[in-house]
Amino acid sequence: MTIRLYCFGESGNAYKAALALELSGLDWEPVKVDFFGGETRGEAYRTQVNEMGEAPVMVDGDLKLTQSGVIQQYVTDKTGKFGGGEDHYEVLRWVLWDNHKLSSQAGMTRFLMNFLPEDKRPEPVIAFMQGRLKAAYAVLNDHLEGRDWIVGDGLTNADISCCGYLFYPEPFGFDRNDWPHINRWLANIQAIPGWKHPYDLMPGSPADRA
Amino acid sequence: MTIRLYCFGESGNAYKAALALELSGLDWEPVKVDFFGGETRGEAYRTQVNEMGEAPVMVDGDLKLTQSGVIQQYVTDKTGKFGGGEDHYEVLRWVLWDNHKLSSQAGMTRFLMNFLPEDKRPEPVIAFMQGRLKAAYAVLNDHLEGRDWIVGDGLTNADISCCGYLFYPEPFGFDRNDWPHINRWLANIQAIPGWKHPYDLMPGSPADRA
């Protein structure tokens, strides 16, 4: 049975789940969530799809999972890929760090800077978050010095999680050219056979609303 | 061998690890991290203890783990407790949600409101974060309606993670009396034999610096 992923192109969190599914070779298809039309904030979505009011949501037969890190773990359990083997705690460590310090703040800052009307943008919040994010980029960049991958010698859920928002073109205070080790590591991910940009992997992009 | 946990009382993230260790019955001891003296921001801590510049850090013999969710998972793997059994994806889901939407933002907001000098407090950021947090409290409160525990019928890492910042007395926009289901659930946690408040479980509290 084909796995369905409720997602939309602009969501880096959905991208983490979609990229894991795609690169694992599992049979999956995206189901577009109309985030910008308010779908995730509606009562129907909360009661029938995800009480957290978030994407992604994965459905595999009777099983429904939410939170990108959970879906990544499911892909690992099903395929044996991306889990890091004996380094599995280290993989989970970076997935949690990403959820805590990187993607959570990058996603919010990108939303505030690009998907809110200009007169609604909370500039002091954006400036503050960009400072927090800079500290997170520095941690990741330092860690990647002399490494091709975040954990071990190949792609794991740590990479798939931490890259979630870093391929997007919309400005949010991240320029990969400022961070040489991050830049090289992102190129490694892009060189993986089957890699796709979020806007090519999932339905929906700012171009649809232009 | 006694497990050591680098922690400090003011850290709700450290509390999640300390509470899991304490309630699991494992032999452990806290090692105070002088966060307010700048220890986690120093070069020595980053190079020798945790490149992420964070607490908690757990050391068990040759094994060093960081990120509260990883330490919680380790306690589960070692003792069989708090993992949720067949509901393990649901437990991980709430641990990730907590790291993404609840503790990350509660911890930061509490820091900004209580541990920065008054003239350094970024009021627009605090107000914005309190709004985001209110949405998170609502998700948790709704989920707990009719439930004693976040997942299944007993304490899991989901509870231990989500309660991380919710017992602290310092104001950050959370009053448990505003959220009846959260309030009842927190009382359930407090009623567990061996439960301790963060300031009783770990060294360091604002009283030390008063």
Side-chain angles (χ1 to χ4, degrees):
Chain A
M1 187 179 302
T2 302
I3 295 171
R4 279 173 297 141
L5 185 73
Y6 290 78
C7 60
F8 55 101
E10 293 89 342
S11 167
N13 290 316
Y15 181 57
K16 299 175 204 176
L19 189 61
L21 286 163
E22 180 74 10
L23 295 179
S24 74
L26 288 171
D27 179 29
W28 76 285
E29 62 183 21
V31 179
K32 187 179 171 183
V33 174
D34 185 14
F35 176 84
F36 292 93
E39 185 175 347
T40 57
R41 293 178 296 285
E43 194 58 26
Y45 190 87
R46 286 199 182 253
T47 54
Q48 292 159 37
V49 183
N50 184 3
E51 69 193 305
M52 293 168 178
E54 295 176 332
V57 175
M58 189 208 79
V59 177
D60 187 8
D62 291 336
L63 182 68
K64 185 167 80 175
L65 298 177
T66 92
Q67 291 289 323
S68 59
V70 172
I71 299 168
Q72 291 178 290
Q73 185 60 50
Y74 180 71
V75 169
T76 291
D77 293 342
K78 211 168 158 103
T79 67
K81 295 178 182 173
F82 314 139
E86 64 184 20
D87 293 328
H88 62 102
Y89 286 127
E90 187 68 6
V91 170
L92 180 59
R93 175 187 182 221
W94 284 97
V95 169
L96 285 160
W97 176 82
D98 171 61
N99 275 267
H100 187 173
K101 290 283 177 79
L102 181 54
S103 283
S104 50
Q105 320 216 23
M108 189 173 81
T109 307
R110 173 165 158 273
F111 180 83
L112 298 177
M113 289 178 67
N114 296 277
F115 303 137
L116 278 186
E118 257 185 74
D119 60 346
K120 295 263 168 80
R121 292 180 194 161
E123 298 299 342
V125 176
I126 289 169
F128 179 85
M129 294 312 299
Q130 289 189 325
R132 299 262 304 177
L133 277 165
K134 209 166 266 189
Y137 305 142
V139 166
L140 182 59
N141 193 64
D142 287 353
H143 177 74
L144 286 166
E145 185 174 352
R147 296 176 201 258
D148 289 331
W149 307 100
I150 293 177
V151 180
D153 55 7
L155 184 80
T156 69
N157 289 326
D159 305 292
I160 294 171
S161 196
C162 289
C163 80
Y165 280 90
L166 304 184
F167 291 118
Y168 284 109
E170 299 83 18
F172 58 95
F174 173 74
D175 180 340
R176 59 192 271 186
N177 296 307
D178 294 341
W179 307 97
H181 307 301
I182 292 178
N183 191 26
R184 181 176 40 77
W185 161 76
L186 289 175
N188 291 340
I189 296 174
Q190 288 174 283
I192 293 174
W195 176 84
K196 287 182 183 166
H197 188 279
Y199 290 142
D200 298 323
L201 188 58
M202 300 182 290
S205 81
D208 301 344
R209 302 189 308 281
Chain B
M1 189 179 302
T2 302
I3 295 171
R4 280 172 297 144
L5 186 74
Y6 291 77
C7 61
F8 56 100
E10 293 91 341
S11 168
N13 289 316
Y15 181 57
K16 300 174 203 176
L19 189 62
L21 286 164
E22 180 74 10
L23 295 179
S24 74
L26 287 171
D27 179 29
W28 76 285
E29 63 182 21
V31 179
K32 186 179 172 185
V33 174
D34 185 14
F35 175 84
F36 292 93
E39 185 176 347
T40 57
R41 293 179 296 286
E43 194 57 24
Y45 191 87
R46 285 197 183 254
T47 54
Q48 290 159 38
V49 183
N50 184 3
E51 68 193 306
M52 292 169 177
E54 296 175 332
V57 175
M58 189 207 80
V59 177
D60 187 8
D62 290 337
L63 182 70
K64 185 167 80 174
L65 298 177
T66 91
Q67 290 289 322
S68 59
V70 172
I71 299 168
Q72 290 177 291
Q73 185 59 51
Y74 180 71
V75 169
T76 291
D77 293 342
K78 212 168 158 105
T79 66
K81 295 178 181 173
F82 315 138
E86 62 184 21
D87 293 328
H88 62 103
Y89 286 128
E90 187 68 5
V91 171
L92 180 59
R93 176 186 182 222
W94 284 98
V95 169
L96 284 160
W97 177 82
D98 170 62
N99 274 267
H100 188 172
K101 290 281 177 81
L102 181 55
S103 283
S104 49
Q105 319 216 23
M108 190 172 79
T109 307
R110 172 165 157 271
F111 179 83
L112 297 177
M113 288 178 67
N114 296 278
F115 303 137
L116 279 185
E118 257 185 74
D119 60 346
K120 295 260 167 83
R121 291 178 196 163
E123 299 300 341
V125 176
I126 290 169
F128 180 85
M129 285 297 158
Q130 288 189 325
R132 298 262 304 177
L133 277 164
K134 208 166 265 189
Y137 304 142
V139 166
L140 182 59
N141 192 65
D142 287 352
H143 177 75
L144 286 166
E145 184 174 354
R147 295 176 201 258
D148 290 330
W149 307 99
I150 294 178
V151 179
D153 55 7
L155 184 79
T156 68
N157 289 326
D159 306 292
I160 295 172
S161 195
C162 289
C163 81
Y165 280 90
L166 304 184
F167 291 118
Y168 285 109
E170 300 84 16
F172 59 95
F174 174 74
D175 180 342
R176 59 192 272 184
N177 296 309
D178 293 340
W179 307 97
H181 307 301
I182 292 177
N183 191 25
R184 180 176 39 77
W185 161 75
L186 289 174
N188 291 341
I189 296 174
Q190 287 174 285
I192 293 173
W195 176 84
K196 287 183 183 167
H197 189 279
Y199 291 141
D200 298 322
L201 188 57
M202 299 180 291
S205 82
D208 301 342
R209 302 190 307 282

